[in-house]
Amino acid sequence: MGDASAPPPGLFTSLRRLLGSAAELAEVRLALFATELQQEKLRALDALALLAVALLAAGVALVLLSLLVVMLFAEPYRIAALGVVVLVYAAAAGLLWRAARARLAEGTPFEATRAELRRDREALAGRETPGAGA
C-alpha cells in the first residue's frame, strides 16, 4: 500500500480535463470568429463607402443631364461638352457600383472559422487532416 506511483486518474478527473480542453477550444474558436466578424464589418463598410460615392456620382450625372435638357436649345458646342461630362459621370457611377458589388461578392464569410471547426470535428471523429499538425 506504500506504492510510490500515483494511481491512474479517475473518471471525474478525466472528465474535468476533457471539459477544460473543450472550453479552451471553444474560446479559441470564438476569438477567431470575433476576428473574422471584424474583418467582415470592415469589408461591408468599404463596400458601403464605394456605394455612397457611386450614388453621389449618379446624382451629379442626373443634375448634369437635367442641365443638358435645359440647354438643348442653346449653342451646340456647350451641349456636346455637357453631354460628354454627363457620360463620364454616368460611367464612373457604373464602375463604382460594379466595384462595390464585387467587394461584397468576394470571399466566403468566416472561412477560417469554418475550416477550423471542420478540422476539429474530423479530429474528434478520429480522422486527422493532412497538414493540420500545427
Side-chain angles (χ1 to χ4, degrees):
M1 299 232 174
D3 210 282
S5 65
L11 178 63
F12 289 117
T13 305
S14 296
L15 185 59
R16 191 176 310 130
R17 263 191 268 155
L18 178 65
L19 288 175
S21 295
E24 183 179 350
L25 184 67
E27 182 181 353
V28 168
R29 297 305 179 242
L30 188 61
L32 178 62
F33 176 76
T35 301
E36 285 191 315
L37 185 63
Q38 181 70 19
Q39 288 174 342
E40 289 300 314
K41 184 175 75 170
L42 291 174
R43 190 173 70 94
L45 286 175
D46 186 40
L48 284 174
L50 284 174
L51 179 64
V53 172
L55 289 174
L56 179 67
V60 169
L62 186 61
V63 168
L64 290 176
L65 181 62
S66 299
L67 285 175
L68 177 67
V69 171
V70 169
M71 295 182 67
L72 263 176
F73 300 105
E75 296 177 10
Y77 295 115
R78 283 195 265 169
I79 293 172
L82 192 55
V84 168
V85 171
V86 167
L87 289 177
V88 167
Y89 277 111
L95 290 174
L96 288 169
W97 180 264
R98 286 182 59 188
R101 286 182 53 119
R103 290 261 173 96
L104 287 175
E106 72 186 25
T108 304
F110 312 113
E111 189 172 343
T113 298
R114 292 170 63 194
E116 288 297 321
L117 289 173
R118 190 177 314 112
R119 267 190 245 142
D120 292 343
R121 186 179 63 238
E122 289 173 355
L124 289 173
R127 301 176 301 218
E128 191 63 34
T129 58

